[in-house]
């Protein structure tokens, strides 16, 4: 069985749990990003019924603070292996993880316990950002936040996924009319920034199939988005209730969802 849960998502911090349990009852837990302070992460893990010591590994998508957060402190405190790209590692100073750092790269599959992870490159203004396809060999979750636009490579890696944690960052009109300075509007809305709602809905539409069970909207801008706009676009893209649609908030994330 594969399930996941957002522990919070937005520019103030991102983290998601992915958990595989075998028929023999063996459980593997991966944390994708840990963009919070360590006490805040502990609190959010506790709300999910877990402690940091229950984690088998952490995967970091890129070096922005809302994703890498307390990765180094967590890894050292709880002796947890961490996976990230070499670019992400170098961009954060090439710190010593006491032998627990593993370098990930585009299309190089690796396993953590009973989880098979397939990182893939995305266009974003970080040094070597990777997003992640996660499978237990039966069900598949696609994690996709922090990218400026979809590429054929990105779409290919999400095809067949039974659940998506998908960035719906901003409404383009709200962003254009916001108080953000021009350079920031340009960065967020640019090809190496963040997905607009319509771009995200296009991705959902492109990878929609009968087996798609959940789409969780993630990384919503607090200033330049509204959950009701996201829900309307998701419903348009996914055709009503074929898949369960949820919006992960910065404060609370999402509940556990079976993939
Ligand atoms: Zn981010
Ligand atoms: Zn980012």
């Amino acid at each position: 069985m594969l399930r996941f849960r957002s522990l919070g998502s937005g520019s103030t911090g991102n983290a998601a749990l992915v958990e595989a349990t075998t028929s023999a009852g063996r459980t593997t837990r991966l944390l994708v990003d840990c963009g919070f302070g360590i006490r805040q992460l502990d609190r959010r893990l506790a709300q999910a019924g877990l402690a940091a010591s229950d984690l088998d590994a952490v995967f970091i998508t890129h070096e922005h603070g809302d994703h890498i957060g307390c990765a180094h402190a967590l890894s050292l405190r709880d002796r947890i292996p961490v996976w990230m790209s070499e670019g992400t590692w170098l961009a954060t100073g090439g710190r010593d993880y006491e032998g627990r750092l593993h370098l990930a790269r585009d299309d190089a599959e690796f396993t953590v316990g009973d989880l098979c992870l397939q990182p893939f490159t995305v266009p974003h203004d970080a040094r070597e950002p990777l997003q992640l396809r996660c499978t237990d060999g039966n069900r598949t979750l696609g994690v996709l936040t922090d990218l400026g636009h979809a590429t054929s490579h990105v779409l290919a890696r999400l095809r067949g996924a039974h659940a998506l944690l998908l960035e719906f960052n901003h409404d383009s009109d709200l962003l254009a009319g916001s108080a953000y300075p021009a350079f920031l509007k340009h960065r967020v809305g640019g090809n190496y920034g963040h997905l607009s709602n319509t771009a995200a809905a296009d991705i959902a539409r492109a990878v929609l199939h009968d087996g798609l069970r959940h789409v969780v909207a993630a990384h919503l801008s607090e200033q330049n988005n509204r959950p009701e706009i996201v829900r309307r676009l998701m419903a348009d893209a996914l055709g009503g209730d074929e898949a369960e649609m949820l919006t992960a908030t910065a404060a609370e994330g999402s509940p556990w969802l079976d993939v």
Side-chain angles (χ1 to χ4, degrees), residues 62 64 66-67 124 146 187 194:
H62 63 297
H64 292 162
D66 57 323
H67 296 266
H124 186 54
D146 295 67
R187 192 229 135 201
H194 291 275

Side-chain angles (χ1 to χ4, degrees), residues 9-14 33 61-62 64-67 124 131 145-146 167 169 187 194 219:
S9 185
S11 58
T12 51
N14 295 270
D33 286 331
T61 59
H62 63 297
H64 292 162
D66 57 323
H67 296 266
H124 186 54
Q131 294 290 325
T145 68
D146 295 67
E167 167 164 64
N169 182 259
R187 192 229 135 201
H194 291 275
H219 219 300

Side-chain angles (χ1 to χ4, degrees), residues 85-239:
S85 71
E86 184 171 21
T88 298
W89 177 58
L90 292 172
T92 46
R95 299 175 80 179
D96 179 10
Y97 281 77
E98 298 183 348
R100 294 186 195 89
L101 177 73
H102 300 263
L103 296 180
R105 59 189 166 79
D106 180 48
D107 266 352
E109 192 176 292
F110 64 95
T111 58
V112 172
D114 296 300
L115 277 170
C116 177
L117 292 321
Q118 298 165 302
F120 55 91
T121 295
V122 297
H124 186 54
D125 54 2
R127 187 135 159 202
E128 191 185 349
L130 296 169
Q131 294 290 325
L132 199 61
R133 180 182 173 97
C134 313
T135 181
D136 63 352
N138 181 31
R139 311 292 290 177
T140 299
L141 164 71
V143 177
L144 184 67
T145 68
D146 295 67
L147 72 165
H149 64 282
T151 60
S152 56
H153 186 57
V154 165
L155 294 177
R157 294 304 168 273
L158 295 183
R159 284 239 156 78
H162 304 97
L164 299 173
L165 184 64
L166 175 61
E167 167 164 64
F168 278 77
N169 182 259
H170 60 272
D171 174 273
S172 297
D173 292 336
L174 289 177
L175 177 64
S178 76
Y180 277 20
F183 83 88
L184 193 52
K185 290 181 185 178
H186 192 70
R187 192 229 135 201
V188 170
N191 268 339
Y192 293 88
H194 291 275
L195 286 181
S196 71
N197 291 337
T198 53
D202 285 345
I203 292 174
R205 201 175 279 116
V207 302
L208 179 62
H209 66 112
D210 288 346
L212 181 62
R213 190 166 172 189
H214 300 289
V215 179
V216 177
H219 219 300
L220 271 71
S221 166
E222 286 181 17
Q223 282 91 358
N224 303 316
N225 213 345
R226 304 273 181 278
E228 59 271 23
I229 301 175
V230 171
R231 281 195 287 270
R232 178 167 47 75
L233 282 166
M234 282 213 283
D236 286 350
L238 300 171

